[in-house]
Amino acid sequence: MFIDGQWVEAAGGRVFEVTNPANGAVIGTVADGGGDDALSAVEAAFQAFPKWSRTTAYQRSAFLYRAWQLMLERKEDLARTMTEEQGKPLKAARNEVQYGADFLLWYAEEAKRVYGETIPSGRADQRFIVQRQPVGVVAAITPWNYPVSMITRKVAPALAAGCTLILKPAESTPLCAIAMFRIFEEAGFPSGVVNLVTGADPAPIGDVFLTDQRVRKVTFTGSTGVGKMIAEKAAAQMKRVSLELGGHAPFIVFDDADPEHAAKGASLVKFLNTGQACICPNRLFVHESIADTFIGTLRSRVAKMKAGSGFDESVSIGPLVNEAAVAKVERQVEDARAKGAVVECGGDRMMDGGLIGGHFYAPTVLSGVTPDMQIYREETFGPVAPIITFSSEDDVLAMANDTTYGLAAYVYTRDVSRAMRMFEGLDFGIIGINDINPTSAAAPFGGMKESGLGREGGRDGIAEYLETKLGGFSI
Ligand code: NAD
């Protein structure tokens, strides 16, 4: 762990093992921190805050810029660590490192654009000045599916704003976090400004983050269940929270779209990270008049996808994170099959050809999916594309919005009026119109409804770490 500028063992001296999800091999041991370690890290961040928050934006920018440079220099090493620890294909891991680095560069620049304002007063002797100040000590909790970019998406804007921070990465991907903290160390951030606490059990560390008065903000990416628990506990001290939670993205293909082009898009975004991305489509709504072409194209593309080790260049499907994830996918597919869905391809756990030691599920296309099936309601977080047919725009909009989630949605249409109606009508925070990658460090990412609170990336991303302070001056 990295606390107050030092690499340290857990206070209790314990360690835990990290495994490769593609074959089960142990690839490292990491400090198994707990509540005492979290307290030390909070103390370090609290002590470092006054000085760091008074550095100039230009000074903070220089540190972030240096970290960005180091990340690009280490791109290949970081990507290899990620493939070994998380399982995604090496090419996707390189893309993620680049995406992660983008946040450091973008917020190195944005640090200098935290503007205030003056407001005219109704009183001749009064002047209003609004200034933005850092919220204070931030605790960040990140998931395993994007183990590098989810770190920089939080660390970069928090540090740019003048906050200090403690990170707790997911227990399955601490090695990526350690590699990132070697970069932060080398970039020269002062002691206590960025701290890392790893642990096999997140609860005691999370408890310290949520109950220690010195932590003023908790930023979290992960499941909706844990997000709700964080929001509830944070309320006791009125801590600020940013929550990026689960999704259940609709992917809507209208009859005026090219079904082959749309199927190609679906095959790319649905199977991204083996379906383990919160913006992966989870319900594919296809107009009944073009469904056969769409399904045929998707099936032929998906059936060719090869699963295996991410170090094999021909592989596009890596393992799922663990056995529980495979079991969840299996349960949803069996339920759909039993209720009448057609398995167009896949539909099974993969154990042949050396995959038995890993957590593999075949890339799967299901047609004939209906609202009574579990997969219609639940987030899958796995490589299954469930297809539902529709006949009218009003119906599909109602079906797409009929979920407690509201993160990403995708629409394929060539009718610009319909595109605008869908953009405005869909209750989701991110809408791709004929576009499968509506994300960037420069753009606000986040969800509505139970997909979360707040936004990461862009101008909104730094605002999450700033307080607004009003000064009324009588002259
Ligand atoms: P998770 O909620 O189990 O874990 C996420 C993080 O929370 C991990 O670091 C974990 O250790 C920590 N955590 C778990 N219990 C905790 C507790 N009691 N106290 C403190 N921390 C705790 O989720 P996951 O399975 O790792 O990630 C998958 C989920 O994350 C999916 O639902 C996915 O949609 C969501 N996700 C959302 C986004 C987004 O930006 N909206 C991005 C990636 C993943």
Side-chain angles (χ1 to χ4, degrees), residues 141-145 150 153 168-171 202-203 206 220-224 226 229 244-247 278 379 381 407 445 451:
I141 302 175
T142 50
W144 46 267
N145 58 346
M150 294 303 104
R153 194 154 84 166
K168 192 212 77 62
E171 47 277 26
F220 170 80
T221 296
S223 58
T224 294
V226 175
M229 179 279 287
E244 299 285 359
L245 310 176
C278 47
E379 183 182 42
F381 236 56
L407 188 58
F445 183 109
S451 286

Side-chain angles (χ1 to χ4, degrees), residues 250 283 285 371 376-377 388-403 428:
R283 295 168 294 153
F285 295 104
Y376 189 91
R377 297 268 162 217
I388 303 128
T389 52
F390 71 91
S391 56
S392 84
E393 185 182 314
D394 286 349
D395 284 354
V396 78
L397 182 61
M399 287 193 283
N401 282 338
D402 180 22
T403 170
F428 294 81

Side-chain angles (χ1 to χ4, degrees), residues 8 87 117 152 191 193 218 327 340 378 440 456 463 466:
V8 294
E117 58 186 337
T152 53
S191 297
V193 169
V218 180
E378 283 180 15
S440 155
E456 294 189 309
L466 295 166

Side-chain angles (χ1 to χ4, degrees), residues 38-384:
L39 273 174
S40 307
V42 169
E43 173 65 17
F46 185 70
Q47 293 301 335
F49 177 72
K51 198 163 170 204
W52 178 250
S53 62
R54 286 196 296 269
T55 54
T56 68
Y58 284 81
Q59 289 169 319
R60 295 195 295 277
S61 173
F63 286 113
L64 290 166
Y65 188 75
R66 178 76 189 122
W68 171 70
Q69 287 174 319
L70 288 166
M71 226 181 139
L72 293 187
E73 282 167 22
R74 310 259 166 91
K75 190 171 187 175
E76 192 60 22
D77 286 350
L78 283 165
R80 288 188 163 272
T81 302
M82 197 189 307
T83 295
E84 197 176 30
E85 185 181 43
Q86 194 273 339
K88 69 184 63 177
L90 197 49
K91 190 170 160 221
R94 289 187 190 114
N95 289 344
E96 186 189 331
V97 176
Q98 180 61 55
Y99 178 54
D102 289 350
F103 288 98
L104 291 169
L105 178 61
W106 207 83
Y107 285 107
E109 293 159 349
E110 195 65 2
K112 296 174 250 173
R113 295 183 185 90
V114 175
Y115 300 138
E117 58 186 337
T118 60
I119 297 173
S121 165
R123 268 171 40 204
D125 70 329
Q126 189 182 46
R127 304 289 180 270
F128 283 132
I129 294 179
V130 177
Q131 192 166 304
R132 319 266 176 216
Q133 293 185 186
V135 295
V137 174
V138 172
I141 302 175
T142 50
W144 46 267
N145 58 346
Y146 286 87
V148 163
S149 57
M150 294 303 104
I151 293 177
T152 53
R153 194 154 84 166
K154 297 181 188 310
V155 169
L159 300 187
C163 297
T164 55
L165 180 138
I166 310 115
L167 172 79
K168 192 212 77 62
E171 47 277 26
S172 27
T173 53
L175 299 178
C176 282
I178 289 170
M180 282 306 303
F181 270 70
R182 298 229 177 263
I183 287 174
F184 297 142
E185 179 188 26
E186 212 172 305
F189 288 100
S191 297
V193 169
V194 264
N195 304 276
L196 172 69
V197 178
T198 51
D201 179 2
I205 300 169
D207 272 354
V208 169
F209 290 171
L210 291 162
T211 54
D212 193 304
Q213 284 281 5
R214 293 168 296 182
V215 175
R216 293 316 310 149
K217 159 105 197 180
V218 180
T219 172
F220 170 80
T221 296
S223 58
T224 294
V226 175
K228 286 181 180 177
M229 179 279 287
I230 287 174
E232 257 181 61
K233 289 198 178 163
Q237 294 175 354
M238 215 41 86
K239 292 182 197 297
R240 280 168 177 41
V241 288
S242 295
L243 303 167
E244 299 285 359
L245 310 176
H248 195 40
F251 184 101
I252 304 169
V253 187
F254 283 102
D255 48 351
D256 59 43
D258 173 353
E260 291 183 11
H261 178 64
K264 183 178 169 200
S267 72
L268 293 170
V269 65
K270 170 66 238 187
F271 296 93
L272 190 71
N273 207 15
T274 313
Q276 302 172 109
C278 47
I279 59 166
C280 277
N282 219 52
R283 295 168 294 153
L284 279 61
F285 295 104
V286 182
H287 193 275
E288 58 192 12
S289 67
I290 53 160
D292 287 350
T293 315
F294 180 90
I295 293 168
T297 310
L298 186 62
R299 183 180 49 223
S300 74
R301 293 184 73 93
V302 174
K304 286 190 208 122
M305 290 177 176
K306 186 175 162 196
S309 159
F311 289 108
D312 176 343
E313 294 236 326
S314 62
V315 158
S316 62
I317 296 288
L320 291 172
V321 61
N322 54 29
E323 178 50 32
V326 180
K328 181 179 183 190
V329 173
E330 214 165 31
R331 168 174 62 72
Q332 288 190 355
V333 172
E334 284 322 307
D335 170 76
R337 205 195 304 247
K339 291 174 181 159
V342 176
V343 179
E344 300 281 346
C345 64
D348 277 310
R349 209 176 252 267
M350 299 177 96
M351 290 182 282
D352 299 341
L355 302 185
I356 193 155
H359 310 295
F360 289 94
Y361 195 91
T364 300
V365 176
L366 296 178
S367 63
V369 170
T370 50
D372 57 325
M373 298 174 187
Q374 291 169 1
I375 202 161
Y376 189 91
R377 297 268 162 217
E378 283 180 15
E379 183 182 42
T380 304
F381 236 56
V384 186

